[in-house]
Amino acid sequence: MKREKTDVQIIPYEDSHRNAFRDINYQWLTQYFEITAYDKPFFENPRKEILDKSGYIFLASLKNEIVGSFALEKVTDKEYTLAKMGVKPGFQRLRIGQLLMEKALKKAEELNLDSLVLYTNHQLVQALNLYCKYGFRFERLENPLVERATIKMEKKFG
């Protein structure tokens, strides 16, 4: 298992990855919640909804298979939201989530952000543990965009 970790590459999104990006996220969303009208545009047209709005999407690739994802969605020039983070079933526990998180934080620093925020749910214990490990702190949640968001977290830089 140690060897496999080194085989994971974090790569920028390309339009040919759209189905893999959608499938990874739909899998965890349907496992715990449901796909909402708010969610669908992000996965049907990630270029328009994320990339063309100064956002970023990165994917974890293992032996040419896309096994994980995250997006950084622009809020302001100094704040982005970490979103659409997931790892395919069967590939969890290979530290892929940690590799994705490390790339997200590196990109946030490159963008010279003041903060990275995320919205999550108390049911997602593994995700919460990961966020805490990387320095995200709980914030007051007001007016979430989706009902499933029960927690807001933020990591400040600098």
Side-chain angles (χ1 to χ4, degrees):
M1 203 181 317
K2 280 267 190 234
R3 198 185 83 68
E4 277 194 300
K5 177 185 163 278
T6 59
D7 292 343
V8 175
Q9 294 181 300
I10 307 301
I11 60 171
Y13 174 88
E14 295 175 14
D15 291 332
S16 61
H17 299 132
R18 185 176 66 92
N19 290 345
F21 178 62
R22 181 194 59 219
D23 294 348
I24 287 165
N25 284 279
Y26 274 23
Q27 194 286 321
W28 73 261
L29 281 167
T30 55
Q31 181 179 347
Y32 292 98
F33 312 105
E34 61 185 30
I35 311 299
T36 67
Y38 173 81
D39 297 312
K40 288 179 183 173
F42 291 99
F43 300 111
E44 296 312 313
N45 196 341
R47 176 155 306 280
K48 177 181 174 218
E49 297 298 327
I50 300 170
L51 301 176
D52 290 350
K53 296 177 180 177
S54 301
Y56 301 87
I57 301 171
F58 289 93
L59 304 165
S61 175
L62 178 61
K63 298 176 183 160
N64 295 317
E65 182 178 356
I66 301 301
V67 298
S69 74
F70 77 86
L72 293 177
E73 299 170 9
K74 184 175 181 176
V75 179
T76 69
D77 285 345
K78 291 296 190 176
E79 182 176 272
Y80 276 63
T81 300
L82 175 63
K84 320 296 184 273
M85 189 165 188
V87 176
K88 251 178 140 169
F91 293 91
Q92 291 157 352
R93 308 207 191 289
L94 295 177
R95 296 178 38 103
I96 293 168
Q98 291 178 54
L99 294 172
L100 289 164
M101 179 62 79
E102 287 164 11
K103 178 64 176 181
L105 297 180
K106 184 175 179 215
K107 188 66 181 175
E109 287 177 11
E110 287 171 14
L111 293 167
N112 198 28
L113 300 183
D114 290 339
S115 64
L116 202 52
V117 296
L118 63 84
Y119 297 87
T120 188
N121 184 284
H122 62 277
Q123 293 179 63
L124 304 175
V125 176
Q126 280 184 304
L128 286 168
N129 289 338
L130 178 71
Y131 304 145
C132 289
K133 176 181 175 176
Y134 282 91
F136 283 82
R137 298 291 169 248
F138 294 95
E139 295 289 327
R140 184 179 170 145
L141 177 67
E142 296 174 352
N143 306 316
L145 292 171
V146 289
E147 280 184 35
R148 68 176 169 266
T150 60
I151 294 172
K152 177 182 181 181
M153 298 181 82
E154 181 176 29
K155 179 174 175 68
K156 293 186 186 300
F157 298 94

